[in-house]
Amino acid sequence: MQPRGSTRFILINTSHAGNVGAAARAMKVMGFDDLVLVAPRWDNVLRREETIQRASGALDVLHNARIVATLDEALDGVTHLCATAMTPRDFGPPTRAPREHFAALAPQGHSVAFLFGSERFGMANDDVYRCHTCLSIPTNPAFGSLNLGAAIQVIAYEWRQALGGFAV
């Protein structure tokens, strides 16, 4: 079970090994280490050369990462789940900018998880509907598609800032 006030990053059906490494690096630089992969394309993704190279020093995050078969397994202990999406959906949880949502969420002490969909297909509606909110990173309206690693970095940074940040 996830302890109160913890943070988890969940990647669903990740198809590119390098993105798993980039996720680990983005998380570590912001002080997070709970990574769960749901049914990734490669069973050995945590040991693939591209993953390790892109992690660039975040090998402890990869070592502690878990691979599970279902989203239910990944959500054990989570009390607040945030989906990530490029565009708002007509149905499901409200869409918020990360900074706005995190300002209200941080003081509550939830066990938070951030859910990221497949690079190729995004996130299934059923997975989004399980979330409390859908985060949309404000980007250029003409081109808002972020690489998975970049999206994780932005979310990790904004969440770290909401939690009090690190001294410069």
Side-chain angles (χ1 to χ4, degrees):
M1 180 180 240
Q2 190 176 20
R4 181 169 170 77
S6 60
T7 301
R8 180 175 298 157
F9 288 77
I10 302 171
L11 282 54
I12 300 174
N13 303 124
T14 308
S15 60
H16 299 294
N19 282 336
V20 174
R25 183 178 185 179
M27 290 170 57
K28 182 170 178 130
V29 79
M30 289 295 120
F32 302 114
D33 61 6
D34 189 356
L35 174 63
V36 180
L37 308 174
V38 178
R41 178 180 180 190
W42 308 100
D43 290 338
N44 67 343
V45 69
L46 297 171
R47 297 181 309 279
R48 292 180 70 87
E49 184 176 341
E50 184 181 1
T51 305
I52 293 166
Q53 287 175 348
R54 292 280 306 275
S56 189
L59 299 181
D60 55 331
V61 176
L62 293 179
H63 177 74
N64 293 321
R66 295 183 297 127
I67 295 178
V68 298
T70 68
L71 181 55
D72 283 336
E73 294 172 87
L75 295 178
D76 182 44
V78 170
T79 61
H80 189 87
L81 183 59
C82 300
T84 56
M86 188 171 90
T87 55
R89 298 174 186 234
D90 292 336
F91 299 99
T95 300
R96 303 275 187 264
R99 191 170 297 171
E100 164 196 3
H101 186 65
F102 295 167
L105 181 62
Q108 297 178 27
H110 283 285
S111 293
V112 176
F114 302 109
L115 190 60
F116 297 84
S118 164
E119 301 95 318
R120 296 184 297 180
F121 308 114
M123 201 175 308
N125 285 337
D126 286 345
D127 294 337
V128 174
Y129 296 158
R130 298 179 71 168
C131 298
H132 296 93
T133 192
C134 187
L135 301 173
S136 183
I137 298 168
T139 58
N140 176 356
F143 188 75
S145 179
L146 285 171
N147 170 275
L148 179 59
I152 291 170
Q153 185 67 74
V154 171
I155 295 297
Y157 171 80
E158 290 290 347
W159 182 233
R160 176 53 62 201
Q161 291 304 106
L163 295 174
F166 291 120
V168 175

